[in-house]
Amino acid sequence: MAARTRRTRTRIEKDTMGDVAVPASALWGAQTARAVANFAISSLRAPAALVEAVVRVKLAAARVNARLGLLPRRKARAIERAAREVLGGDLRDQFVVDAYQAGAGTSFHMNVNEVLANRAAEILGGRRGDRSVDPNDDVNMAQSTNDVIPTAMRLAALELAPPVVAALERLAGTLARKARAWDGVVKSGRTHLMDATPIRLGQEVSGWSVALAASAARIGEALPELASLGIGGTAVGTGVNAHPRYREMMVKELARLTRVPLVAAPNPFYAMQSLAPFAALSSTLRVAALELVRIGGDIRLLASGPATGLAELRLPAVQPGSSIMPGKVNPSMAEMLAMVSYQVIGLDAAIAAATSGGQLELNVMMPLVAWDLLHQLEILASGVRAFDEKLARRLDVDRDRVAFYAARTVSLATALAPRIGYAAAAEIVKESVRTGRSILDLAVERAGLPRAEARRILDPGRLTRPGRA
């Protein structure tokens, strides 16, 4: 049935609540139309990785249910063909439900079911909305939102997390190479943002590298639990309406489709009640973001200037830094990385709150956790890659500036303490700060050390290694 409503052709579809007008051109149906009307909240839609993950579950279910003799093979083949079209990049404009929607993701889930059902109906020679392939009885056979969506979330996270690990490892590698190249560059250390004993630039940068490698490892360690799937639990974990072999066959089929070593969750009730594995992964992303903010901030400090800051590091110029100040160059890539990292930290807080918000057999906050987690993974991978390629690899050092500060840090006097005592060394520091005279001159004058010996004791390079004067 077709009608004209505000110049838009529509068809009438039915669901359990009655008739619904649906745009004639839409592959989605009645339940999606209700969700579109109810949840006009944002411009955000399901991430592509989540769409693809749910579609893979549908493809696997069609195959398994056909093998079990429960779904006619011609319908299964049509559902599979429709799923392959989506996985190939088609029909993406048909997934229209807002990210903020009914709990558990039922609206988005039915959006996928309806699109695949209507497209499969067309493939079989029918028309959209004729129910020759039913979104519930056929596409959703032996499934529930409550096991499909957390399974899809796991599959999507397992797809998007490895690029984050790889990006962090590459950045760690870039910094490790810089650390080796700069191992002979002695600079002033700084604690509390004040002068400290000398350190080699390579030593300082090696700490950054190891921090990021450790962050990558933490993320990797959070992934195996996500490979434990609750699919087949259907509504509450009991597997009602699913064949006894369905669960095992689904896990094997999804492993074939994704090429990821997946297993059936030892306890399907835990897999459906708890979002803790997603919170655990998110927390590792938060820790990585905290390290990135810290390291990016250090680079910004060390590169500040060029005339009135530390200016020990030289940043590559990637774009003009000001609309009014000619020639200004800003640490744009480090600023971007900080913003990405702050967003990751904020999303982790939302995920943590949502993870605690489950009740009994289900946590209905899955749509929020899915969108936030996948967004974290996407922006962190992209942000770290861009920072690595456009800043870290092209980062340079002003050796003269570094040497200037290294020779003048008043904390050189630390090396005098074993010889003349802490209190006497402190007096030399105070005198140096007050008068501007060098620690070397004051050590000779006030401590009575021969100049050659004082020079040896106060050599900045020697102070970057363990030992006493």
Side-chain angles (χ1 to χ4, degrees):
M1 181 186 298
R4 286 189 176 274
T5 304
R6 296 183 182 178
R7 301 181 181 177
T8 299
R9 285 178 54 81
T10 62
R11 65 178 187 270
I12 300 300
E13 288 208 18
K14 294 177 184 270
D15 61 12
T16 56
M17 293 179 62
D19 292 348
V20 182
V22 177
S25 61
L27 278 169
W28 39 269
Q31 290 201 45
T32 303
R34 293 189 192 278
V36 168
N38 289 334
F39 306 117
I41 309 302
S42 72
S43 61
L44 304 176
R45 301 294 179 264
L50 186 63
V51 171
E52 292 173 5
V54 174
V55 168
R56 285 191 179 94
V57 172
K58 300 299 168 181
L59 192 163
R63 286 181 175 179
V64 168
N65 285 319
R67 289 174 193 151
L68 291 170
L70 302 174
L71 181 67
R73 288 195 175 274
R74 63 190 297 271
K75 284 189 177 183
R77 285 193 292 268
I79 293 169
E80 178 171 350
R81 179 174 161 187
R84 294 242 175 243
E85 289 179 0
V86 176
L87 295 175
D90 295 335
L91 313 180
R92 295 307 177 90
D93 61 339
Q94 297 297 309
F95 302 101
V96 294
V97 176
D98 199 282
Y100 302 97
Q101 57 182 276
T106 300
S107 298
F108 165 62
H109 183 208
M110 285 307 303
N111 187 177
V112 176
N113 285 334
E114 289 175 344
V115 168
L116 294 181
N118 279 325
R119 180 64 190 125
E122 290 181 334
I123 290 167
L124 293 175
R127 57 184 176 79
R128 301 177 186 190
D130 67 7
R131 294 273 174 167
S132 56
V133 179
D134 192 273
N136 296 94
D137 296 334
D138 297 324
V139 179
N140 197 53
M141 180 181 285
Q143 301 155 70
S144 164
T145 296
N146 303 347
D147 66 342
V148 168
I149 296 301
T151 294
M153 289 167 62
R154 284 167 164 80
L155 299 181
L158 288 168
E159 176 188 346
L160 295 185
V164 180
V165 174
L168 287 167
E169 289 176 340
R170 281 194 295 269
L171 179 55
T174 295
L175 295 175
R177 289 189 293 275
K178 294 290 184 182
R180 290 191 293 271
W182 296 338
D183 189 56
V185 179
V186 178
K187 65 184 291 292
S188 174
R190 296 178 181 90
T191 59
H192 302 262
L193 293 180
M194 308 298 283
D195 289 6
T197 55
I199 185 173
R200 297 196 300 278
L201 182 57
Q203 292 172 320
E204 189 170 51
V205 175
S206 74
W208 302 347
S209 173
V210 171
L212 296 179
S215 294
R218 284 188 199 95
I219 296 169
E221 290 165 2
L223 299 183
E225 189 176 11
L226 292 173
S228 181
L229 306 183
I231 193 68
T234 65
V236 295
T238 61
V240 64
N241 285 359
H243 190 282
R245 295 179 56 206
Y246 172 82
R247 185 172 178 231
E248 174 189 355
M249 293 174 67
M250 277 294 290
V251 172
K252 289 181 179 178
E253 188 60 39
L254 286 170
R256 278 192 288 269
L257 287 172
T258 61
R259 299 180 182 178
V260 173
L262 305 170
V263 298
N267 187 305
F269 308 102
Y270 166 67
M272 294 175 63
Q273 294 167 4
S274 176
L275 299 183
F278 304 106
L281 174 58
S282 176
S283 71
T284 68
L285 303 179
R286 173 178 55 82
V287 172
L290 295 173
E291 293 284 43
L292 289 166
V293 170
R294 176 181 66 82
I295 293 165
D298 283 353
I299 290 173
R300 290 167 67 189
L301 278 173
L302 293 175
S304 60
T308 60
L310 296 179
E312 293 183 338
L313 293 181
R314 293 173 177 166
L315 298 178
V318 296
Q319 62 185 54
S322 174
S323 63
I324 188 172
M325 291 174 278
K328 194 171 189 294
V329 175
N330 293 338
S332 301
M333 301 310 297
E335 292 165 347
M336 171 278 298
L337 188 65
M339 285 185 268
V340 165
S341 299
Y342 291 141
Q343 183 67 77
V344 167
I345 294 165
L347 293 172
D348 175 69
I351 289 169
T355 297
S356 70
Q359 300 89 28
L360 303 176
E361 276 60 67
L362 183 67
N363 189 319
V364 299
M365 301 301 165
M366 288 188 289
L368 174 69
V369 172
W371 199 93
D372 285 358
L373 179 64
L374 299 183
H375 190 54
Q376 282 179 310
L377 291 167
E378 179 184 14
I379 64 175
L380 197 58
S382 298
V384 172
R385 276 196 302 267
F387 181 82
D388 183 18
E389 294 167 5
K390 298 183 181 297
L391 187 149
R393 296 180 193 179
R394 298 162 57 192
L395 193 62
D396 203 358
V397 57
D398 186 330
R399 293 173 183 265
D400 292 339
R401 186 87 164 199
V402 168
F404 175 84
Y405 287 135
R408 284 161 179 78
T409 171
V410 294
S411 286
L412 287 174
T414 303
L416 297 173
R419 292 290 301 274
I420 67 174
Y422 183 93
E427 291 302 318
I428 287 176
V429 170
K430 294 176 186 178
E431 182 73 8
S432 176
V433 171
R434 186 178 65 81
T435 64
R437 297 180 63 193
S438 73
I439 298 293
L440 174 63
D441 288 344
L442 291 171
V444 172
E445 177 184 307
R446 298 192 56 166
L449 295 175
R451 182 167 290 274
E453 183 179 0
R455 186 177 288 112
R456 179 185 64 80
I457 293 172
L458 297 172
D459 173 51
R462 191 190 65 80
L463 298 182
T464 67
R465 298 183 295 274
R468 292 160 59 101

